[in-house]
């Protein structure tokens, strides 16, 4: 990119199945803490972008009630009804326009305590056929996706369980994660409640209350706000058909195209060699394989080998989700921003027990829709 956009600061909540705070109080405390860390006030923010969803919030024009709590009253503000990675994409475009110097991105959800996730996610299906038949839901559709990948590449249930266990162990090192187990093994995953074959409870994200805020700025402004800027080097986004019958579920073409655009912008030629760490939004264990392969971090169909070789472990050849990813916590609309926050912590050397050795470049991924219909990819570096 000709102009530079920096991530100046990030802040996330400690995620929970049921927050002790109301949505409004949670957002107020989160944003106040971030502004205090940077040493600015709401007057220093040029535009606010909220990632939320009326279905998730259970009320129409839901951001009306949260804007005053984040300091966006009487300020330029807008809303993205998708994952927080899309809010970042939008914020980058706004700063690149030259009309804004700073953008505060906020994503939030009370998916653990305020609504039944499957009832809400059902509304993402094709309304003409799939929704009317009534046979599908988020879990059953995702089970079809898992089966498609496993059958295509002859992968067994144990390997899938080991992939989930890896993220549960990583999440145990993450103080903000909800679902975690320091000694997780395949047996724990396979012993958890069976859902739709081959999925068990621990293959899947936990319903989560949580929020995340990320502050973007222009290059000129970043130098005044932080001595540790993380630069957005490339962005890409792509959406494919939300009718499952028109997609090859064992792979993600939209994630591949989004990654190609982000890598081209960032000047990345060989992702598996040039990327040091990846934070991928994978609410289900098998999706980490599918998305990582679409991002060209591993060869197609190599999920079992990646698990066997430990390639995606924190100390592996290509660490993926050292934070535990969405299996550790998945507050809708905030997950993409959480992935950005975890990647920023890695690049700054502030990831604690999750720290990868001296990373310089990271790739971040966010998704929306059934079986990762919409994908956003962001390349970050220091």
């Amino acid at each position: 990119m000709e102009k530079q956009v920096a991530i100046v600061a990030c802040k996330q909540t400690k995620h929970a199945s049921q927050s002790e705070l109301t949505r409004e109080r949670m957002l107020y405390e989160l944003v106040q803490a971030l502004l205090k860390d940077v040493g600015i006030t709401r007057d220093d923010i040029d535009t606010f972008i909220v990632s939320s969803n009326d279905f998730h919030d259970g009320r129409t024009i839901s951001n009306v009630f949260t804007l005053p709590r984040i300091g966006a009253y009487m300020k330029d503000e807008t809303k993205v009804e998708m994952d927080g990675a899309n809010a970042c994409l939008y914020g980058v475009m706004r700063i690149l326009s030259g009309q804004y110097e700073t953008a505060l991105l906020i994503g939030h959800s009370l998916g653990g305590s305020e609504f039944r996730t499957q009832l809400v996610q059902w509304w993402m299906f094709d309304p003409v056929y799939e929704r009317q038949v009534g046979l599908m839901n988020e879990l059953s559709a995702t089970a079809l996706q898992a089966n498609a990948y496993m059958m295509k590449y002859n992968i067994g249930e144990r390997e899938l369980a080991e992939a989930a266990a890896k993220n549960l162990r990583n999440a145990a090192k993450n103080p903000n994660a909800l679902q975690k187990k320091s000694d997780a093994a395949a047996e724990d995953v396979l012993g958890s409640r069976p859902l739709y074959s081959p999925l068990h409870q621990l293959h899947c994200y936990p319903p989560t209350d949580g929020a995340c805020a990320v502050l973007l700025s222009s290059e000129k402004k970043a130098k005044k706000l932080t001595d540790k800027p993380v630069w957005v080097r490339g962005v890409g986004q792509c959406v494919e058909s939300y009718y499952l019958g028109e997609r090859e579920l064992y792979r993600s073409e939209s994630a591949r195209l989004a990654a190609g655009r982000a890598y081209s912008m960032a000047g990345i030629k060989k992702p598996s060699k040039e990327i040091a760490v990846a934070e991928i939004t994978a609410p289900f264990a098998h999706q980490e394989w599918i998305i990582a392969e679409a991002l060209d971090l591993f060869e197609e169909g190599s999920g079992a080998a990646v698990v066997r070789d430990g390639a995606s472990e924190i100390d592996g050849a290509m660490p993926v989700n050292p934070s535990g990813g969405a299996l550790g916590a998945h507050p809708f609309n905030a997950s993409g921003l959480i992935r950005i926050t975890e990647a920023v912590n890695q690049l700054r050397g502030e990831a604690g027990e999750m720290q990868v050795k001296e990373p310089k470049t990271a790739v971040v991924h966010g998704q929306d829709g059934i079986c990762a219909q919409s994908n956003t990819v962001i390349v970050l570096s220091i």
Side-chain angles (χ1 to χ4, degrees), residues 216-279:
L216 302 180
S217 81
S218 65
E219 181 178 11
K220 178 181 177 181
K221 192 74 171 180
K223 293 176 180 178
K224 299 177 181 179
L225 296 176
T226 181
D227 57 359
K228 287 186 175 182
V230 171
W231 303 101
V232 179
R233 300 300 188 189
V235 293
Q237 201 267 353
C238 188
V239 183
E240 55 193 306
S241 172
Y242 65 155
Y243 175 46
L244 296 180
E246 296 178 347
R247 295 159 56 188
E248 294 178 323
L249 293 181
Y250 66 86
R251 63 197 299 267
S252 177
E253 181 65 9
S254 59
R256 186 186 70 81
L257 292 172
R261 293 164 184 166
Y263 290 152
S264 178
M265 187 180 294
I268 299 290
K269 305 294 184 184
K270 295 183 178 180
S272 62
K273 302 296 183 183
E274 299 176 62
I275 301 295
V277 61
E279 278 288 338

Side-chain angles (χ1 to χ4, degrees), residues 203-376:
H203 286 117
C204 309
Y205 69 88
T208 309
D209 288 0
C212 187
V214 174
L215 179 61
L216 302 180
S217 81
S218 65
E219 181 178 11
K220 178 181 177 181
K221 192 74 171 180
K223 293 176 180 178
K224 299 177 181 179
L225 296 176
T226 181
D227 57 359
K228 287 186 175 182
V230 171
W231 303 101
V232 179
R233 300 300 188 189
V235 293
Q237 201 267 353
C238 188
V239 183
E240 55 193 306
S241 172
Y242 65 155
Y243 175 46
L244 296 180
E246 296 178 347
R247 295 159 56 188
E248 294 178 323
L249 293 181
Y250 66 86
R251 63 197 299 267
S252 177
E253 181 65 9
S254 59
R256 186 186 70 81
L257 292 172
R261 293 164 184 166
Y263 290 152
S264 178
M265 187 180 294
I268 299 290
K269 305 294 184 184
K270 295 183 178 180
S272 62
K273 302 296 183 183
E274 299 176 62
I275 301 295
V277 61
E279 278 288 338
I280 292 173
T281 301
F284 304 92
H286 66 278
Q287 289 185 350
E288 181 173 298
W289 291 341
I290 293 173
I291 300 301
E293 290 167 20
L295 269 54
D296 202 19
L297 303 179
F298 303 110
E299 293 183 4
E300 284 197 10
S302 63
V306 167
V307 167
R308 183 176 61 250
D309 300 340
S312 62
E313 298 277 0
I314 292 176
D315 58 354
M318 175 54 65
V320 178
N321 288 337
S323 66
L327 285 196
H330 184 47
F332 297 136
N333 302 108
S335 277
L337 294 180
I338 294 169
R339 305 277 72 74
I340 290 170
T341 298
E342 298 293 358
V344 167
N345 289 341
Q346 288 286 346
L347 294 174
R348 287 177 168 174
E350 299 173 353
E353 291 185 66
M354 303 173 283
Q355 185 64 54
V356 171
K357 186 177 179 181
E358 299 180 351
K360 303 297 182 185
T361 304
V363 64
V364 174
H365 162 267
Q367 64 155 288
D368 275 288
I370 299 297
C371 295
Q373 173 213 356
S374 170
N375 291 275
T376 302

Side-chain angles (χ1 to χ4, degrees), residues 10-308:
C10 305
K11 184 75 71 173
Q12 63 179 301
T13 59
K14 183 176 176 61
H15 310 302
S17 58
Q18 183 166 0
S19 174
E20 296 179 355
L21 304 175
T22 63
R23 183 191 312 274
E24 291 76 12
R25 186 71 191 184
M26 178 174 65
L27 293 175
Y28 171 79
E29 293 189 1
L30 175 69
V31 173
Q32 285 296 307
L34 183 144
L35 296 178
K36 183 178 180 181
D37 283 353
V38 183
I40 60 175
T41 70
R42 80 180 195 97
D43 296 327
D44 297 295
I45 306 299
D46 294 334
T47 183
F48 292 75
I49 302 174
V50 178
S51 178
S52 65
N53 185 290
D54 289 357
F55 275 87
H56 296 163
D57 289 5
R59 53 195 182 190
T60 311
I61 321 178
S62 56
N63 57 320
V64 168
F65 303 96
T66 56
L67 292 175
R69 277 73 182 186
I70 63 174
Y73 55 92
M74 302 298 288
K75 298 281 288 185
D76 183 277
E77 56 83 16
T78 188
K79 177 182 178 182
V80 173
E81 290 219 5
M82 298 177 77
D83 176 69
N86 293 281
C88 183
L89 176 66
Y90 189 17
V92 168
M93 291 191 289
R94 286 198 144 197
I95 291 176
L96 290 178
S97 74
Q99 299 299 307
Y100 307 91
E101 294 291 331
T102 55
L104 184 59
L105 322 172
I106 301 99
H108 63 87
S109 173
L110 295 184
S113 62
E114 285 201 350
F115 60 90
R116 290 189 176 184
T117 58
Q118 301 308 318
L119 291 179
V120 171
Q121 298 299 83
W122 179 78
W123 289 95
M124 293 193 293
F125 280 98
D126 157 46
V128 178
Y129 177 71
E130 290 171 338
R131 196 187 301 167
Q132 301 302 328
V133 172
L135 297 176
M136 300 291 286
N137 58 50
E138 182 191 32
L139 289 175
S140 61
T142 306
L144 290 177
Q145 184 185 38
N147 276 305
Y149 183 92
M150 294 166 70
M151 292 176 68
K152 175 72 175 178
Y153 299 115
N154 193 28
I155 293 176
E157 291 190 11
R158 184 173 183 83
E159 287 89 347
L160 181 61
E162 287 173 346
K166 182 268 290 187
N167 282 326
L168 294 174
R169 292 193 300 270
N170 287 353
K173 299 178 173 67
N174 186 343
N176 296 310
L178 166 60
Q179 182 171 257
K180 59 182 78 177
K181 184 173 174 58
S182 61
D183 59 348
E187 289 76 15
D188 298 306
V189 178
L190 294 173
S192 64
R193 184 164 65 96
L195 301 172
Y196 292 86
S197 180
L199 299 181
H200 291 247
Q201 187 69 54
L202 291 180
H203 286 117
C204 309
Y205 69 88
T208 309
D209 288 0
C212 187
V214 174
L215 179 61
L216 302 180
S217 81
S218 65
E219 181 178 11
K220 178 181 177 181
K221 192 74 171 180
K223 293 176 180 178
K224 299 177 181 179
L225 296 176
T226 181
D227 57 359
K228 287 186 175 182
V230 171
W231 303 101
V232 179
R233 300 300 188 189
V235 293
Q237 201 267 353
C238 188
V239 183
E240 55 193 306
S241 172
Y242 65 155
Y243 175 46
L244 296 180
E246 296 178 347
R247 295 159 56 188
E248 294 178 323
L249 293 181
Y250 66 86
R251 63 197 299 267
S252 177
E253 181 65 9
S254 59
R256 186 186 70 81
L257 292 172
R261 293 164 184 166
Y263 290 152
S264 178
M265 187 180 294
I268 299 290
K269 305 294 184 184
K270 295 183 178 180
S272 62
K273 302 296 183 183
E274 299 176 62
I275 301 295
V277 61
E279 278 288 338
I280 292 173
T281 301
F284 304 92
H286 66 278
Q287 289 185 350
E288 181 173 298
W289 291 341
I290 293 173
I291 300 301
E293 290 167 20
L295 269 54
D296 202 19
L297 303 179
F298 303 110
E299 293 183 4
E300 284 197 10
S302 63
V306 167
V307 167
R308 183 176 61 250

